[in-house]
Amino acid sequence: MRFFSDNAAAVHPQVWEALKAADAPDAAYDGDALSARLDAAFSDTFGVECAALWVATGTAANSLALAALCPPHGGVLCHREAHIEVDEGGAPGFYTHGAKLMLVDGDGAKVTPEALAAAIDPIRDDVHQVQPHALSLTQATEYGRVYSPAEIAGLAQFARGRGLGLHVDGARFANAVARLGCAALDACRGAAALSFGCVKNGGMNAEALVLFDPALADLVKYRRKRAGHLQSKGRFLAAQVLTLLDGDLWLANARAANAAAQELAGACGGRLLHPVEANEIFVALSPPEAAALRRQGFDFYDWPAPPGRPGAARLVTSWNSDPTQVTALARAIRGL
Amino acid sequence: MRFFSDNAAAVHPQVWEALKAADAPDAAYDGDALSARLDAAFSDTFGVECAALWVATGTAANSLALAALCPPHGGVLCHREAHIEVDEGGAPGFYTHGAKLMLVDGDGAKVTPEALAAAIDPIRDDVHQVQPHALSLTQATEYGRVYSPAEIAGLAQFARGRGLGLHVDGARFANAVARLGCAALDACRGAAALSFGCVKNGGMNAEALVLFDPALADLVKYRRKRAGHLQSKGRFLAAQVLTLLDGDLWLANARAANAAAQELAGACGGRLLHPVEANEIFVALSPPEAAALRRQGFDFYDWPAPPGRPGAARLVTSWNSDPTQVTALARAIRGL
Amino acid sequence: MRFFSDNAAAVHPQVWEALKAADAPDAAYDGDALSARLDAAFSDTFGVECAALWVATGTAANSLALAALCPPHGGVLCHREAHIEVDEGGAPGFYTHGAKLMLVDGDGAKVTPEALAAAIDPIRDDVHQVQPHALSLTQATEYGRVYSPAEIAGLAQFARGRGLGLHVDGARFANAVARLGCAALDACRGAAALSFGCVKNGGMNAEALVLFDPALADLVKYRRKRAGHLQSKGRFLAAQVLTLLDGDLWLANARAANAAAQELAGACGGRLLHPVEANEIFVALSPPEAAALRRQGFDFYDWPAPPGRPGAARLVTSWNSDPTQVTALARAIRGL
Amino acid sequence: MRFFSDNAAAVHPQVWEALKAADAPDAAYDGDALSARLDAAFSDTFGVECAALWVATGTAANSLALAALCPPHGGVLCHREAHIEVDEGGAPGFYTHGAKLMLVDGDGAKVTPEALAAAIDPIRDDVHQVQPHALSLTQATEYGRVYSPAEIAGLAQFARGRGLGLHVDGARFANAVARLGCAALDACRGAAALSFGCVKNGGMNAEALVLFDPALADLVKYRRKRAGHLQSKGRFLAAQVLTLLDGDLWLANARAANAAAQELAGACGGRLLHPVEANEIFVALSPPEAAALRRQGFDFYDWPAPPGRPGAARLVTSWNSDPTQVTALARAIRGL
């Protein structure tokens, strides 16, 4: 019973069907009929004209976005625990040719205009200091927190006021929108670029980079090729992304994962380290408690113990979390 | 009846089976059981200890290899029409952080020790001039030519003597080995790194980077991650590569493509612009002749006309070229 | 009697005076009063508003200019023997983050719109091929040839028509303007950036990067700092540049060097390999002839022998070439 | 009466003499007789064989060193207020091709093995996280603090034990050695590379990069050229550096600056924000007090007020601080 990571989840049956259907001759690279539908599909989903490119990984999507928004000599504001800072092996530094990530603190890996201002304001406006050019948010955050439309609006306004391009890392954007119940656009309004996650949400190996400033798309297409991310059989990536958008399968999948997370959250009570708003549960567990759960067959990652707690763990649900297993885990946690 | 590109070919049925089989929970990234088998599978195939990493594209494989063999201030020798120079959107410049491709001429996109020496010898050994650090060959070449084991040995000896790391771009390595009928290693012996093509040969979206100097693998793993090429469900890439190696499916597929190419070559006679040794046929065709073939339902790319010819085309066969269509095209060419 | 290189020439006495005068406390970096005068001084010299930054070397000036005009995924057209290609240790690749130099042939290291078009036209307009973004000319060229104002106008028109930013490497720009007798601007009209050489023309270690598109200056200032080229006592660089501009000392120095070159050219007759238009003389010399000159005390670099000639040499004059030595060398050449 | 910065100080008379003496023809770039003496001069100064290269700025020296010690995908540990992090416009990111600076806290901009271990230990040893490859210390620090030989030894041992290359930013290395009264080597023992500052200590525009691992020198020479830092009249840089080493002028100059700083420190008493160990004094000053000093003719930079203080200032002395002015400032501070 695996609660390790949504990366381990299976490929959705409709995605499999779409992959098989895509196995017919078509133009190579992104010249095929499926890839040609991406812009329209995302424009429909977001209700505004946008351009979209498939890529294989969220790291590639994030890095291509940042490189489009920040020059090599600039800086990108992000949370100290943002995935781009902590878990992408320095990819932003590679793609941006050495731009600096400027780290900001905040509960639950969320940033606020106040925290951003405090980080920026002391920077002298001269060539000796790296100047900020972009802001990257994660929606939902690395701790499963969700920015409300109002919070997004406030951050977008801040970014605009400071001349910062706004990027949203949406590896779990579906979970955020499912939680908010808002229009997709309201969960990222003001962003120039959104990394739209699919792999954790029923896909096999395709993510989408959505560009709300379509002028960026031309630039990014050259950079995608230059990064070795223009696959020759791109129809197989487009097929995955289109399937998830079709009939809002992406939201249905995310709702399932979120519901499973809520069931676990309800069992955790005072153990919760962060409010559960998406599909990740961070929970205080002593080593003996963690061992007890594992003996019952539940697998998950340990997490660094927060101050005053003897230990912690991360539980992740996914679109196909088995309800029986979820209920069993909830019961086991209650029984600790 | 499409003779555009082997990129357009279908995914092999055994690859589909392997992909489905891989759709079970396992560790993320390259921590899964299938990815763990890659080193051994390639060591078996080549009869020497080597390490292998999956990547999504040949461009990524080539660029990661070059970056491992050449410092940013160095140069990589290659043919003027090498894919890395002509068709990868500057990816080698990105991955190597600005190293220079040093271009060499030669028939059929083949290079010789003599041509390489002529390019290198005038370079002054000082910091004002970029010094060569690596040599990249394409096997089979961009014109479907194949280096014999003796030619490979001569080039490897040259590289060693000049202190150059040797990379082989094997987007169509299978076709070369199938043609040569030699041990796989003899088709690239002396290389530090081989881009082992799978996508054109029955795969969906996985290539392999084989490192004959296993010490390079550690370095390349960090760089693969940093380039956004460490996919979170890597088991789906490993499955494709392993399937092609298993029972030498890669060679069977290449033999089929090569045989189809030979049938076409036999029909082309004096029209052939290059000897046909793999699965590409470059053929002189006047515009009316090309139009006539297209009216009969044959699709292919035009090619720049060589001196003294009214026009040219490139025909590409693949592992699943339909024998009926191949025979029909051969007959149509004979009938021009 | 040294005819090696104008790099070896002495620092002009007025430059020494200016350096000494600059040795008074002032703001650091480029905040001093002298640096603040650069924009106006160059605007006067060129008769148009421009911005100017000091840097220590021509390589830095060239590379900063190219990086401002060409994105990392783009290409820069230049002559195959351009200094940026041949003698800058790959610096353009470093500063541009891997852009490609696209090489063009032409007599005397001069390029023409026709040769440029022939290089560009075959490039497919897709992401697989590197697209040209800039054109770099050398005025005077690496073979001491000078573009006329009409040639410059034609090349600028070509660049504009193709959307290419124009850079002029003017390591010997003074010699070109002195030769042409035209307004300084006419020798580079249409350029976005000019590397204005001082070190070969009486300076110690300051060059100027002139930006005719002042919007580029802000960008370049950040990049100059990031490249470690913002010296803390910048007043010493500004002093050199201003001195050369003051009273057109730069032209007086160049005229002296050119005149010495003409005297030598007159002695060379049929030995000349290129018309002598600036301060470099490329001359056919057999090895015994070269040895004979050296025995008489004349020092110079050998040059690769052109087809049909037994050997060659490069002679360089400078602002302070000793007239007696020049006349002696002219006589010695005549006497061979 | 300027206490702004040692960057504003005059060029030492002996340096002027050496510059004038260098104005004779010699080989270009670093082929001249003076540049050839650098290795031996530094080997004498440090009592071990080392190699040394001139560069124009400390930023270039630091960045070249870091690029030699850290691969693009790696990280460099340094203090959060290190010059390389705060004041070099992102130059380390440029030269290292995007390596990450990993920030550590510590009083007076000093780091300790404990603080470094706390920063490193949580980094997972996998490709998702950037791994540290180098450690950069500043001696004397950005707050004018000095590492003792024992502290240096402890940090070097830590670096060795963790596989980190050690770089010392010695923009004010002379002030540190003068303070310590130790052998020069003991102030940086264990470093692979030292940025040896000259500009703040009587030079005009030359610094030295000292490589205690001479094998690095070859690599760095290519990178120096590629960065546009190989000046064509390098003899003028070598002359400055050699003059400062000759007869230990560098130490004499630093002793003068340090002594002036001690006189001011003695006047500051409880106002001192950091112990004064080199030539910088950080002092608590309320805005009215600062204004009062300025009315008396003293110029200096304001500094961010530390907690609980109404304001602060930085005073910097230099090799030629006028004793009368220093005494006057000391008296003025006492009189506040």
Side-chain angles (χ1 to χ4, degrees):
Chain A
M1 292 180 286
R2 303 169 69 93
F3 294 86
F4 275 125
S5 167
D6 32 14
N7 280 331
V11 174
H12 194 278
Q14 288 177 238
V15 171
W16 276 117
E17 286 168 33
L19 285 168
K20 288 295 294 186
D23 195 16
D26 200 340
Y29 301 105
D30 61 349
D32 60 282
L34 295 173
S35 297
R37 286 177 43 203
L38 278 183
D39 289 2
F42 276 100
S43 297
D44 279 357
T45 296
F46 284 96
V48 293
E49 196 185 336
C50 54
L53 290 79
W54 42 253
V55 287
T57 65
T59 295
N62 289 341
S63 294
L64 285 168
L66 298 180
L69 298 178
C70 182
H73 60 277
V76 176
L77 286 155
C78 67
H79 192 276
R80 185 177 306 283
E81 301 194 60
H83 201 262
I84 58 173
E85 162 67 9
V86 174
D87 273 308
E88 300 193 347
F94 180 44
Y95 277 76
T96 63
H97 303 293
K100 184 189 287 281
L101 297 185
M102 300 172 151
L103 307 180
V104 175
D105 292 304
D107 277 351
K110 290 177 73 173
V111 300
T112 62
E114 293 70 33
L116 294 167
I120 293 180
D121 288 342
I123 297 174
R124 297 189 315 267
D125 181 17
D126 65 33
V127 300
H128 300 268
Q129 300 209 308
V130 176
Q131 306 296 316
H133 284 254
L135 166 62
S136 179
L137 310 176
T138 310
Q139 171 79 308
T141 77
E142 287 74 10
Y143 285 108
R145 301 294 310 278
V146 171
Y147 291 99
S148 71
E151 287 172 323
I152 290 289
L155 288 160
Q157 183 180 6
F158 175 85
R160 226 171 14 249
R162 300 297 184 113
L164 307 173
L166 179 59
H167 165 248
V168 172
D169 176 355
R172 295 186 179 92
F173 187 70
N175 303 91
V177 176
R179 162 78 181 193
L180 294 169
C182 65
L185 186 60
D186 286 335
C188 64
R189 194 184 289 269
L194 166 70
S195 303
F196 183 92
C198 298
V199 172
K200 296 178 197 295
N201 196 30
M204 176 193 280
N205 50 20
E207 309 278 77
L209 175 54
V210 183
L211 299 161
F212 294 101
D213 174 356
L216 290 178
D218 280 344
L219 175 67
V220 174
K221 280 178 184 172
Y222 280 96
R223 288 177 173 270
R224 176 177 65 174
K225 170 66 190 181
R226 192 175 190 237
H229 277 288
L230 181 63
Q231 297 195 9
S232 60
K233 297 182 177 176
R235 57 195 183 274
F236 291 112
L237 288 91
Q240 299 176 54
V241 176
L242 292 171
T243 300
L244 286 170
L245 292 183
D246 191 33
D248 281 343
L249 178 59
W250 65 295
L251 288 175
N253 283 355
R255 274 186 218 110
N258 286 5
Q262 286 304 319
E263 183 174 348
L264 295 178
C268 291
R271 295 179 181 276
L272 285 182
L273 301 174
H274 298 281
V276 175
E277 298 171 348
N279 66 325
E280 295 182 295
I281 303 102
F282 293 85
V283 57
L285 276 186
S286 68
E289 290 171 332
L293 292 178
R294 289 191 172 112
R295 273 195 307 273
Q296 299 175 55
F298 300 104
D299 280 335
F300 49 84
Y301 282 117
D302 289 327
W303 206 254
R309 302 279 200 162
R314 185 186 76 162
L315 310 172
V316 188
T317 59
S318 67
W319 70 271
N320 70 339
S321 289
D322 180 328
T324 313
Q325 294 183 6
V326 171
T327 301
L329 177 54
R331 190 179 313 123
I333 292 171
R334 280 204 177 87
L336 288 173
Chain B
M1 292 180 288
R2 301 169 70 93
F3 294 85
F4 275 125
S5 167
D6 32 13
N7 279 331
V11 174
H12 194 278
Q14 289 177 236
V15 171
W16 276 116
E17 286 169 32
L19 285 168
K20 288 295 293 187
D23 195 18
D26 200 340
Y29 301 105
D30 62 348
D32 61 282
L34 294 173
S35 297
R37 286 176 44 203
L38 278 183
D39 289 2
F42 276 99
S43 297
D44 279 356
T45 296
F46 284 96
V48 292
E49 197 186 338
C50 54
L53 290 80
W54 42 252
V55 286
T57 66
T59 295
N62 289 340
S63 293
L64 286 168
L66 298 180
L69 298 178
C70 182
H73 60 277
V76 176
L77 286 156
C78 67
H79 192 276
R80 186 177 306 284
E81 302 194 59
H83 200 262
I84 58 173
E85 162 67 11
V86 173
D87 274 307
E88 300 194 347
F94 180 44
Y95 278 76
T96 62
H97 303 294
K100 183 190 285 283
L101 297 186
M102 300 171 148
L103 307 181
V104 176
D105 293 304
D107 278 351
K110 290 177 74 173
V111 301
T112 61
E114 293 69 32
L116 294 166
I120 293 181
D121 288 342
I123 297 174
R124 298 190 314 268
D125 181 17
D126 65 33
V127 300
H128 300 268
Q129 300 209 307
V130 175
Q131 306 296 316
H133 284 254
L135 166 62
S136 179
L137 309 175
T138 310
Q139 170 79 310
T141 76
E142 288 73 11
Y143 286 108
R145 301 293 311 277
V146 171
Y147 291 100
S148 71
E151 287 172 322
I152 290 289
L155 288 160
Q157 183 180 6
F158 175 86
R160 227 170 15 249
R162 299 297 184 112
L164 307 173
L166 180 58
H167 165 248
V168 173
D169 176 355
R172 296 186 179 92
F173 188 71
N175 303 91
V177 175
R179 163 76 181 194
L180 294 169
C182 66
L185 186 60
D186 286 335
C188 64
R189 194 184 289 271
L194 166 70
S195 302
F196 183 93
C198 298
V199 172
K200 297 178 197 296
N201 197 30
M204 176 194 280
N205 50 19
E207 308 279 77
L209 174 54
V210 184
L211 299 162
F212 294 101
D213 175 356
L216 290 178
D218 280 344
L219 176 66
V220 174
K221 281 179 182 171
Y222 280 96
R223 289 177 174 269
R224 175 176 65 172
K225 171 67 190 179
R226 193 176 189 236
H229 277 287
L230 181 64
Q231 298 195 8
S232 60
K233 297 182 176 176
R235 57 194 182 273
F236 290 112
L237 289 91
Q240 299 176 53
V241 176
L242 291 172
T243 300
L244 286 170
L245 292 183
D246 192 32
D248 281 342
L249 178 60
W250 65 295
L251 288 174
N253 283 355
R255 275 187 219 109
N258 286 4
Q262 287 303 321
E263 183 174 348
L264 295 177
C268 291
R271 295 179 181 276
L272 285 182
L273 301 174
H274 297 282
V276 174
E277 298 171 350
N279 65 326
E280 295 183 295
I281 304 101
F282 294 85
V283 56
L285 277 186
S286 69
E289 289 170 334
L293 291 179
R294 289 192 172 111
R295 274 194 308 273
Q296 298 173 59
F298 300 104
D299 279 335
F300 48 84
Y301 282 117
D302 289 326
W303 207 255
R309 303 280 199 161
R314 185 187 76 163
L315 311 172
V316 187
T317 59
S318 68
W319 70 272
N320 69 339
S321 289
D322 180 329
T324 313
Q325 294 182 7
V326 171
T327 301
L329 177 54
R331 189 178 312 123
I333 293 171
R334 280 206 178 86
L336 287 173
Chain C
M1 292 179 289
R2 302 168 70 91
F3 293 86
F4 275 125
S5 168
D6 31 14
N7 280 329
V11 174
H12 193 278
Q14 289 176 239
V15 171
W16 276 117
E17 286 169 31
L19 285 168
K20 289 295 293 185
D23 194 17
D26 200 339
Y29 301 105
D30 62 348
D32 60 282
L34 294 173
S35 297
R37 285 178 43 202
L38 277 183
D39 289 0
F42 276 99
S43 297
D44 279 357
T45 297
F46 284 97
V48 292
E49 196 186 337
C50 54
L53 290 80
W54 41 253
V55 286
T57 66
T59 294
N62 289 341
S63 293
L64 285 168
L66 298 181
L69 298 178
C70 182
H73 60 277
V76 176
L77 287 155
C78 67
H79 193 275
R80 186 177 306 284
E81 302 194 60
H83 200 263
I84 58 173
E85 162 68 10
V86 174
D87 274 307
E88 300 194 347
F94 180 44
Y95 278 76
T96 63
H97 303 293
K100 184 189 287 281
L101 298 185
M102 300 171 149
L103 308 181
V104 176
D105 292 304
D107 277 351
K110 289 176 74 172
V111 300
T112 62
E114 294 70 33
L116 294 166
I120 292 181
D121 288 342
I123 297 175
R124 297 189 315 268
D125 181 17
D126 66 32
V127 300
H128 300 268
Q129 300 209 306
V130 176
Q131 307 296 315
H133 284 254
L135 165 62
S136 180
L137 310 175
T138 310
Q139 171 80 308
T141 78
E142 288 74 10
Y143 285 108
R145 302 294 309 278
V146 171
Y147 291 99
S148 71
E151 287 172 321
I152 290 289
L155 288 161
Q157 183 180 5
F158 175 85
R160 226 172 14 249
R162 300 296 185 115
L164 307 173
L166 180 58
H167 166 247
V168 172
D169 176 355
R172 295 186 180 92
F173 187 71
N175 304 91
V177 176
R179 163 75 181 195
L180 294 169
C182 66
L185 187 61
D186 287 335
C188 64
R189 194 185 289 269
L194 166 70
S195 302
F196 183 93
C198 298
V199 172
K200 296 179 196 296
N201 196 31
M204 175 193 280
N205 50 19
E207 309 278 77
L209 175 54
V210 183
L211 299 162
F212 294 101
D213 175 355
L216 290 178
D218 280 343
L219 177 65
V220 174
K221 280 178 181 170
Y222 279 95
R223 288 177 173 271
R224 174 176 67 174
K225 171 65 190 180
R226 194 176 189 234
H229 277 287
L230 181 63
Q231 297 196 9
S232 60
K233 297 182 177 177
R235 58 194 182 273
F236 290 111
L237 288 91
Q240 299 176 54
V241 176
L242 291 171
T243 301
L244 286 170
L245 292 184
D246 192 32
D248 282 341
L249 177 61
W250 64 295
L251 288 174
N253 283 355
R255 273 186 219 111
N258 287 4
Q262 286 303 321
E263 181 173 349
L264 294 178
C268 291
R271 295 179 181 276
L272 284 183
L273 301 174
H274 297 282
V276 175
E277 298 171 349
N279 66 324
E280 295 182 294
I281 303 101
F282 294 85
V283 57
L285 276 186
S286 68
E289 290 170 334
L293 292 178
R294 289 191 172 109
R295 273 194 307 274
Q296 299 174 57
F298 300 105
D299 280 334
F300 48 84
Y301 281 118
D302 289 326
W303 207 255
R309 303 280 200 163
R314 185 186 77 163
L315 311 172
V316 188
T317 59
S318 67
W319 70 272
N320 69 339
S321 288
D322 180 329
T324 314
Q325 293 182 6
V326 171
T327 301
L329 176 54
R331 190 179 312 121
I333 292 172
R334 281 205 177 84
L336 287 173
Chain D
M1 293 178 287
R2 301 170 68 92
F3 294 86
F4 275 125
S5 168
D6 31 14
N7 280 330
V11 175
H12 193 278
Q14 288 177 239
V15 171
W16 276 117
E17 286 169 31
L19 285 168
K20 289 295 295 185
D23 194 16
D26 199 339
Y29 301 104
D30 63 347
D32 60 282
L34 294 173
S35 297
R37 286 177 43 203
L38 277 184
D39 289 2
F42 275 99
S43 297
D44 279 357
T45 296
F46 283 96
V48 292
E49 196 184 337
C50 54
L53 291 79
W54 42 253
V55 287
T57 66
T59 294
N62 288 341
S63 293
L64 286 168
L66 297 181
L69 298 178
C70 182
H73 60 277
V76 177
L77 287 155
C78 67
H79 192 275
R80 186 177 307 283
E81 301 195 59
H83 201 263
I84 57 173
E85 162 67 11
V86 174
D87 274 308
E88 300 193 348
F94 180 44
Y95 278 76
T96 63
H97 303 293
K100 184 190 285 283
L101 298 185
M102 299 171 151
L103 307 180
V104 176
D105 292 304
D107 278 352
K110 289 177 74 172
V111 300
T112 62
E114 294 69 34
L116 294 167
I120 293 181
D121 288 341
I123 297 174
R124 296 189 315 268
D125 180 18
D126 65 33
V127 300
H128 300 267
Q129 301 209 307
V130 175
Q131 306 296 315
H133 284 254
L135 166 62
S136 180
L137 310 175
T138 310
Q139 172 79 308
T141 78
E142 288 73 11
Y143 285 108
R145 301 294 308 277
V146 171
Y147 290 99
S148 72
E151 288 172 321
I152 291 288
L155 288 160
Q157 183 180 6
F158 175 85
R160 224 169 17 247
R162 300 296 184 115
L164 307 173
L166 180 59
H167 165 247
V168 173
D169 175 355
R172 295 186 180 94
F173 188 71
N175 303 90
V177 175
R179 162 77 181 194
L180 294 168
C182 66
L185 186 60
D186 287 335
C188 64
R189 192 183 291 268
L194 166 70
S195 302
F196 183 93
C198 298
V199 172
K200 297 178 196 295
N201 197 30
M204 175 193 281
N205 50 20
E207 308 279 75
L209 175 54
V210 183
L211 299 162
F212 294 101
D213 174 356
L216 290 178
D218 280 344
L219 176 66
V220 174
K221 280 177 183 171
Y222 279 96
R223 288 177 173 271
R224 175 175 66 173
K225 171 65 191 180
R226 193 176 188 235
H229 277 287
L230 181 63
Q231 297 195 8
S232 60
K233 297 183 176 176
R235 57 194 183 273
F236 290 111
L237 287 92
Q240 298 176 55
V241 176
L242 292 170
T243 300
L244 286 171
L245 292 183
D246 192 33
D248 282 341
L249 178 60
W250 64 295
L251 288 175
N253 283 355
R255 274 185 219 111
N258 286 5
Q262 286 304 319
E263 182 174 349
L264 295 177
C268 291
R271 295 179 181 277
L272 284 183
L273 300 174
H274 298 281
V276 175
E277 298 171 350
N279 66 324
E280 295 182 294
I281 303 102
F282 294 85
V283 57
L285 276 186
S286 68
E289 290 170 334
L293 291 179
R294 288 192 172 110
R295 275 195 306 272
Q296 298 173 56
F298 301 104
D299 280 334
F300 47 85
Y301 282 118
D302 288 327
W303 206 253
R309 302 279 200 162
R314 186 186 76 163
L315 311 172
V316 188
T317 59
S318 67
W319 70 271
N320 69 338
S321 289
D322 180 329
T324 313
Q325 294 182 5
V326 172
T327 301
L329 176 54
R331 191 179 311 122
I333 292 171
R334 281 205 177 86
L336 287 173

